Amino acid sequence: MSTYYFIPTRNVFGAGCVQEAGELLASVGGKKPLIVTDAFLGSCGMADDIAKILKDAGLNPSIFAGAEPNPTDKNCVAGLEAYKAAKADSIVSLGGGSAHDCAKGIGFLASNGGEIYDYEGIDKSTNTMVPLISINTTAGTASEITRFCIITDTRRKVKMAIVDWRCTPLIAINDPELMRGMPPSLTAATGMDALTHAIEAYVSIAATPLTDSAALMAINMIVKYLPQAVANGDNMFARDKMAYAQYLAGAAFNNASLGYVHAMAHQLGGYYNLPHGVCNAILLPYVEEFNLIACRERFVDIAKAMGLCTEGLTVEAASDQVIGAIHDLGQQVGIPATLADLDVKPKDFDIMADNAMKDACAATNPRLYTKQDVIDIYQRAYDGIPMRVKF
C-alpha cells in the first residue's frame, strides 16, 4: 500500500518573515489577492498591515473579513462573491484555522464551482485551486499547511471534513510576532489543539516514521513551551517554539490523519459553535483513555516525549500516566474541566455520536468504536468522571 506525504512547497518561519508575503505571492502568480480573515483582524489593523505589504510588492489586494469562528457554508458563499467582485486571482488567508479553512472553501468554489457540500470527503475536487498562501496568527490548528478544510454545514449542524490535497496552501508563513497578541485563553486552546493533533497522529493507524518523528517532537515542545506562552504572551522564545511545535503537529496529522477526538469535537462545534481547541482539549484524555489498550507501546513513547518517568514501570503503568498528564496540562493552562462547563446538552449525544462515527477523522482511530462507546465518552467528559485511569 502506498503512502503519501503532503506539505506546502515552501514554509517560512521567524520573526518578521511576514514582510516577505508580497514577493512570495507574486512568485506563484498572484496579482490581485483576496485577503480572507476574520472580523477582529479585519478591524484591528492587522489585515490592513498585510494589505500594505502586498501593495508595496506591486500587488492589488482586497479584504474579506467574513470568516467566522467555525466557518460556515454561508461564509464560503459570501467570500466567493467578494472574490468575484474584486476580480481576484489569488487568496491570502490571515488568521488561525477559521480564516484558513474559510479561504480554502472559497478557493474550492472559485476553482471548481458547485457548492461547498460537493467537496465533503476525500479528494472530491478536480481543478487546481487558485494560488493560496496562508499567514498564520495562532499556534494550534496548522491549517496553514494542511489538506484539511473544516466547514460547518448550517443545514445539518455538522462540521464537514473536507480532505483534499489540492487545498494545501502553496506557501505557509509562521511569524511569531503575529502571535504576540493572542490572549492566554486562545493561546491555551490553540496549543491544546496542537497537542491533540500530535497525539492523534502518533496513535493513528496511518502513522509512518515521518509522521512519528514530527508528532513526538511536537508533543515534547508543547509540554515545555505552552505553559510559558500562556503565562507571558510577550515571551517570544516560547511563541517561536510553539509556532514550530504546532507546525510539526500539523505535518504529522496532515499525513497520518486524526481520530475520535476530532470526530467528536467536530460535532460539538457544529451543534453549539464551540471553540474547536477547547472541545479537543476536554475530550482528549477521555478518548485516549479508551484508546489505550489498542497501542500501549505508543503511549509509552508519548509518556517519554512528555517528560514522564517510565523507568522501571510496566507498559501499562507507563502508558496510563499519559492520561493524567494530558488532563493536568489542560487544567494548568486554564481549559474548562468538562463539557457541562460549555453548556453542552446530553440530549444531543445520540445524534452527535451518529455523526461522529461518519466523520472522516474516525477512520484512522486505533480502536474501533460503537455508537454507545461514543455516547459514553461524551457523558464522561460531561460529568468529568474518568473511565478507569486516575486523573
mmCIF file of all heavy atoms in Angstrom, residues 52-82:
data_model
loop_
_atom_site.group_PDB
_atom_site.id
_atom_site.type_symbol
_atom_site.label_atom_id
_atom_site.label_comp_id
_atom_site.label_asym_id
_atom_site.label_seq_id
_atom_site.Cartn_x
_atom_site.Cartn_y
_atom_site.Cartn_z
ATOM 1 N N LYS A 52 -0.904 46.358 3.047
ATOM 2 C CA LYS A 52 0.176 47.284 2.704
ATOM 3 C C LYS A 52 1.424 46.540 2.236
ATOM 4 O O LYS A 52 2.089 46.951 1.269
ATOM 5 C CB LYS A 52 0.514 48.179 3.887
ATOM 6 C CG LYS A 52 1.582 49.238 3.563
ATOM 7 C CD LYS A 52 1.879 50.125 4.747
ATOM 8 C CE LYS A 52 2.844 51.247 4.349
ATOM 9 N NZ LYS A 52 4.099 50.740 3.741
ATOM 10 N N ILE A 53 1.742 45.434 2.922
ATOM 11 C CA ILE A 53 2.897 44.635 2.496
ATOM 12 C C ILE A 53 2.703 44.153 1.060
ATOM 13 O O ILE A 53 3.627 44.193 0.239
ATOM 14 C CB ILE A 53 3.091 43.437 3.453
ATOM 15 C CG1 ILE A 53 3.554 43.931 4.832
ATOM 16 C CG2 ILE A 53 4.099 42.433 2.893
ATOM 17 C CD1 ILE A 53 3.544 42.863 5.902
ATOM 18 N N LEU A 54 1.492 43.730 0.753
ATOM 19 C CA LEU A 54 1.203 43.246 -0.595
ATOM 20 C C LEU A 54 1.251 44.391 -1.613
ATOM 21 O O LEU A 54 1.792 44.231 -2.724
ATOM 22 C CB LEU A 54 -0.167 42.568 -0.630
ATOM 23 C CG LEU A 54 -0.332 41.340 0.283
ATOM 24 C CD1 LEU A 54 -1.749 40.803 0.199
ATOM 25 C CD2 LEU A 54 0.666 40.246 -0.081
ATOM 26 N N LYS A 55 0.710 45.534 -1.218
ATOM 27 C CA LYS A 55 0.746 46.694 -2.124
ATOM 28 C C LYS A 55 2.175 47.140 -2.391
ATOM 29 O O LYS A 55 2.520 47.508 -3.527
ATOM 30 C CB LYS A 55 -0.058 47.850 -1.518
ATOM 31 C CG LYS A 55 -1.560 47.647 -1.531
ATOM 32 C CD LYS A 55 -2.271 48.793 -0.819
ATOM 33 C CE LYS A 55 -3.771 48.564 -0.755
ATOM 34 N NZ LYS A 55 -4.462 49.640 0.019
ATOM 35 N N ASP A 56 3.004 47.116 -1.363
ATOM 36 C CA ASP A 56 4.401 47.526 -1.522
ATOM 37 C C ASP A 56 5.148 46.604 -2.484
ATOM 38 O O ASP A 56 6.186 46.989 -3.039
ATOM 39 C CB ASP A 56 5.114 47.541 -0.171
ATOM 40 C CG ASP A 56 4.643 48.680 0.727
ATOM 41 O OD1 ASP A 56 3.978 49.606 0.213
ATOM 42 O OD2 ASP A 56 4.940 48.644 1.940
ATOM 43 N N ALA A 57 4.609 45.400 -2.676
ATOM 44 C CA ALA A 57 5.223 44.460 -3.616
ATOM 45 C C ALA A 57 4.603 44.581 -5.014
ATOM 46 O O ALA A 57 4.887 43.758 -5.884
ATOM 47 C CB ALA A 57 5.063 43.035 -3.099
ATOM 48 N N GLY A 58 3.749 45.602 -5.196
ATOM 49 C CA GLY A 58 3.156 45.831 -6.505
ATOM 50 C C GLY A 58 1.868 45.079 -6.757
ATOM 51 O O GLY A 58 1.391 45.024 -7.895
ATOM 52 N N LEU A 59 1.258 44.531 -5.704
ATOM 53 C CA LEU A 59 0.023 43.766 -5.858
ATOM 54 C C LEU A 59 -1.177 44.646 -5.516
ATOM 55 O O LEU A 59 -1.041 45.717 -4.924
ATOM 56 C CB LEU A 59 0.059 42.530 -4.960
ATOM 57 C CG LEU A 59 1.309 41.640 -5.092
ATOM 58 C CD1 LEU A 59 1.205 40.430 -4.175
ATOM 59 C CD2 LEU A 59 1.515 41.205 -6.539
ATOM 60 N N ASN A 60 -2.365 44.173 -5.867
ATOM 61 C CA ASN A 60 -3.588 44.941 -5.677
ATOM 62 C C ASN A 60 -4.572 44.139 -4.822
ATOM 63 O O ASN A 60 -5.475 43.486 -5.341
ATOM 64 C CB ASN A 60 -4.210 45.269 -7.035
ATOM 65 C CG ASN A 60 -5.448 46.149 -6.907
ATOM 66 O OD1 ASN A 60 -5.687 46.766 -5.871
ATOM 67 N ND2 ASN A 60 -6.247 46.186 -7.964
ATOM 68 N N PRO A 61 -4.428 44.163 -3.500
ATOM 69 C CA PRO A 61 -5.250 43.313 -2.635
ATOM 70 C C PRO A 61 -6.595 43.937 -2.281
ATOM 71 O O PRO A 61 -6.790 45.156 -2.340
ATOM 72 C CB PRO A 61 -4.393 43.196 -1.377
ATOM 73 C CG PRO A 61 -3.678 44.512 -1.311
ATOM 74 C CD PRO A 61 -3.394 44.895 -2.744
ATOM 75 N N SER A 62 -7.527 43.078 -1.900
ATOM 76 C CA SER A 62 -8.786 43.486 -1.279
ATOM 77 C C SER A 62 -8.991 42.593 -0.063
ATOM 78 O O SER A 62 -8.325 41.561 0.078
ATOM 79 C CB SER A 62 -9.960 43.365 -2.250
ATOM 80 O OG SER A 62 -10.030 42.057 -2.774
ATOM 81 N N ILE A 63 -9.894 42.972 0.821
ATOM 82 C CA ILE A 63 -10.054 42.271 2.092
ATOM 83 C C ILE A 63 -11.477 41.756 2.239
ATOM 84 O O ILE A 63 -12.448 42.477 2.023
ATOM 85 C CB ILE A 63 -9.716 43.200 3.283
ATOM 86 C CG1 ILE A 63 -8.246 43.643 3.213
ATOM 87 C CG2 ILE A 63 -9.994 42.497 4.612
ATOM 88 C CD1 ILE A 63 -7.886 44.695 4.256
ATOM 89 N N PHE A 64 -11.590 40.482 2.632
ATOM 90 C CA PHE A 64 -12.863 39.882 3.037
ATOM 91 C C PHE A 64 -12.699 39.447 4.481
ATOM 92 O O PHE A 64 -11.948 38.520 4.775
ATOM 93 C CB PHE A 64 -13.219 38.689 2.153
ATOM 94 C CG PHE A 64 -14.398 37.889 2.651
ATOM 95 C CD1 PHE A 64 -15.681 38.422 2.599
ATOM 96 C CD2 PHE A 64 -14.228 36.614 3.184
ATOM 97 C CE1 PHE A 64 -16.776 37.693 3.065
ATOM 98 C CE2 PHE A 64 -15.313 35.874 3.651
ATOM 99 C CZ PHE A 64 -16.588 36.419 3.582
ATOM 100 N N ALA A 65 -13.383 40.126 5.394
ATOM 101 C CA ALA A 65 -13.236 39.851 6.828
ATOM 102 C C ALA A 65 -14.450 39.100 7.362
ATOM 103 O O ALA A 65 -14.912 39.353 8.476
ATOM 104 C CB ALA A 65 -13.021 41.146 7.597
ATOM 105 N N GLY A 66 -14.937 38.138 6.587
ATOM 106 C CA GLY A 66 -16.161 37.429 6.945
ATOM 107 C C GLY A 66 -15.981 36.006 7.397
ATOM 108 O O GLY A 66 -16.956 35.243 7.430
ATOM 109 N N ALA A 67 -14.773 35.615 7.762
ATOM 110 C CA ALA A 67 -14.554 34.258 8.269
ATOM 111 C C ALA A 67 -14.946 34.214 9.737
ATOM 112 O O ALA A 67 -14.319 34.858 10.573
ATOM 113 C CB ALA A 67 -13.101 33.843 8.088
ATOM 114 N N GLU A 68 -15.985 33.500 10.051
ATOM 115 C CA GLU A 68 -16.439 33.370 11.440
ATOM 116 C C GLU A 68 -15.680 32.251 12.149
ATOM 117 O O GLU A 68 -15.132 31.362 11.497
ATOM 118 C CB GLU A 68 -17.936 33.045 11.471
ATOM 119 C CG GLU A 68 -18.820 34.123 10.883
ATOM 120 C CD GLU A 68 -20.279 33.722 10.885
ATOM 121 O OE1 GLU A 68 -20.594 32.581 10.492
ATOM 122 O OE2 GLU A 68 -21.105 34.553 11.278
ATOM 123 N N PRO A 69 -15.658 32.263 13.481
ATOM 124 C CA PRO A 69 -15.167 31.076 14.180
ATOM 125 C C PRO A 69 -16.013 29.879 13.752
ATOM 126 O O PRO A 69 -17.239 30.010 13.615
ATOM 127 C CB PRO A 69 -15.397 31.417 15.653
ATOM 128 C CG PRO A 69 -15.437 32.914 15.693
ATOM 129 C CD PRO A 69 -16.064 33.343 14.403
ATOM 130 N N ASN A 70 -15.387 28.745 13.504
ATOM 131 C CA ASN A 70 -16.099 27.609 12.921
ATOM 132 C C ASN A 70 -16.775 28.054 11.617
ATOM 133 O O ASN A 70 -18.000 28.151 11.540
ATOM 134 C CB ASN A 70 -17.139 27.035 13.888
ATOM 135 C CG ASN A 70 -16.532 26.519 15.169
ATOM 136 O OD1 ASN A 70 -15.554 25.791 15.139
ATOM 137 N ND2 ASN A 70 -17.099 26.920 16.301
ATOM 138 N N PRO A 71 -15.986 28.367 10.578
ATOM 139 C CA PRO A 71 -16.538 28.956 9.352
ATOM 140 C C PRO A 71 -17.624 28.076 8.726
ATOM 141 O O PRO A 71 -17.567 26.846 8.815
ATOM 142 C CB PRO A 71 -15.325 29.074 8.437
ATOM 143 C CG PRO A 71 -14.341 28.079 8.964
ATOM 144 C CD PRO A 71 -14.556 28.067 10.442
ATOM 145 N N THR A 72 -18.586 28.742 8.120
ATOM 146 C CA THR A 72 -19.771 28.051 7.627
ATOM 147 C C THR A 72 -19.847 28.059 6.109
ATOM 148 O O THR A 72 -19.114 28.778 5.419
ATOM 149 C CB THR A 72 -21.048 28.729 8.157
ATOM 150 O OG1 THR A 72 -21.180 30.026 7.528
ATOM 151 C CG2 THR A 72 -21.001 28.901 9.666
ATOM 152 N N ASP A 73 -20.796 27.269 5.615
ATOM 153 C CA ASP A 73 -21.097 27.249 4.190
ATOM 154 C C ASP A 73 -21.452 28.659 3.698
ATOM 155 O O ASP A 73 -21.050 29.077 2.600
ATOM 156 C CB ASP A 73 -22.234 26.270 3.894
ATOM 157 C CG ASP A 73 -23.380 26.338 4.908
ATOM 158 O OD1 ASP A 73 -23.438 27.281 5.738
ATOM 159 O OD2 ASP A 73 -24.234 25.427 4.887
ATOM 160 N N LYS A 74 -22.166 29.419 4.528
ATOM 161 C CA LYS A 74 -22.571 30.775 4.147
ATOM 162 C C LYS A 74 -21.361 31.702 4.032
ATOM 163 O O LYS A 74 -21.329 32.586 3.166
ATOM 164 C CB LYS A 74 -23.570 31.325 5.166
ATOM 165 C CG LYS A 74 -24.885 30.544 5.207
ATOM 166 C CD LYS A 74 -25.821 31.067 6.296
ATOM 167 C CE LYS A 74 -27.105 30.238 6.342
ATOM 168 N NZ LYS A 74 -28.019 30.711 7.421
ATOM 169 N N ASN A 75 -20.377 31.525 4.912
ATOM 170 C CA ASN A 75 -19.145 32.319 4.815
ATOM 171 C C ASN A 75 -18.449 32.071 3.488
ATOM 172 O O ASN A 75 -17.921 32.999 2.863
ATOM 173 C CB ASN A 75 -18.178 31.971 5.941
ATOM 174 C CG ASN A 75 -18.698 32.278 7.330
ATOM 175 O OD1 ASN A 75 -18.195 31.734 8.301
ATOM 176 N ND2 ASN A 75 -19.697 33.133 7.449
ATOM 177 N N CYS A 76 -18.430 30.820 3.050
ATOM 178 C CA CYS A 76 -17.765 30.470 1.785
ATOM 179 C C CYS A 76 -18.470 31.122 0.602
ATOM 180 O O CYS A 76 -17.814 31.628 -0.320
ATOM 181 C CB CYS A 76 -17.726 28.955 1.606
ATOM 182 S SG CYS A 76 -16.708 28.100 2.828
ATOM 183 N N VAL A 77 -19.797 31.127 0.624
ATOM 184 C CA VAL A 77 -20.561 31.755 -0.456
ATOM 185 C C VAL A 77 -20.308 33.262 -0.480
ATOM 186 O O VAL A 77 -20.079 33.863 -1.536
ATOM 187 C CB VAL A 77 -22.060 31.450 -0.303
ATOM 188 C CG1 VAL A 77 -22.880 32.271 -1.289
ATOM 189 C CG2 VAL A 77 -22.320 29.959 -0.521
ATOM 190 N N ALA A 78 -20.338 33.884 0.705
ATOM 191 C CA ALA A 78 -20.084 35.331 0.774
ATOM 192 C C ALA A 78 -18.665 35.650 0.326
ATOM 193 O O ALA A 78 -18.422 36.651 -0.365
ATOM 194 C CB ALA A 78 -20.309 35.827 2.206
ATOM 195 N N GLY A 79 -17.720 34.802 0.688
ATOM 196 C CA GLY A 79 -16.341 35.011 0.276
ATOM 197 C C GLY A 79 -16.167 34.876 -1.225
ATOM 198 O O GLY A 79 -15.388 35.620 -1.838
ATOM 199 N N LEU A 80 -16.867 33.931 -1.828
ATOM 200 C CA LEU A 80 -16.801 33.770 -3.283
ATOM 201 C C LEU A 80 -17.337 35.014 -3.977
ATOM 202 O O LEU A 80 -16.759 35.476 -4.980
ATOM 203 C CB LEU A 80 -17.608 32.547 -3.717
ATOM 204 C CG LEU A 80 -17.673 32.303 -5.225
ATOM 205 C CD1 LEU A 80 -16.289 32.001 -5.796
ATOM 206 C CD2 LEU A 80 -18.652 31.178 -5.549
ATOM 207 N N GLU A 81 -18.410 35.586 -3.437
ATOM 208 C CA GLU A 81 -18.953 36.818 -4.012
ATOM 209 C C GLU A 81 -17.935 37.947 -3.925
ATOM 210 O O GLU A 81 -17.762 38.727 -4.873
ATOM 211 C CB GLU A 81 -20.248 37.200 -3.294
ATOM 212 C CG GLU A 81 -21.399 36.226 -3.545
ATOM 213 C CD GLU A 81 -22.618 36.520 -2.701
ATOM 214 O OE1 GLU A 81 -22.549 37.445 -1.847
ATOM 215 O OE2 GLU A 81 -23.643 35.845 -2.867
ATOM 216 N N ALA A 82 -17.238 38.032 -2.784
ATOM 217 C CA ALA A 82 -16.198 39.057 -2.629
ATOM 218 C C ALA A 82 -15.048 38.805 -3.594
ATOM 219 O O ALA A 82 -14.485 39.758 -4.162
ATOM 220 C CB ALA A 82 -15.690 39.065 -1.176
#
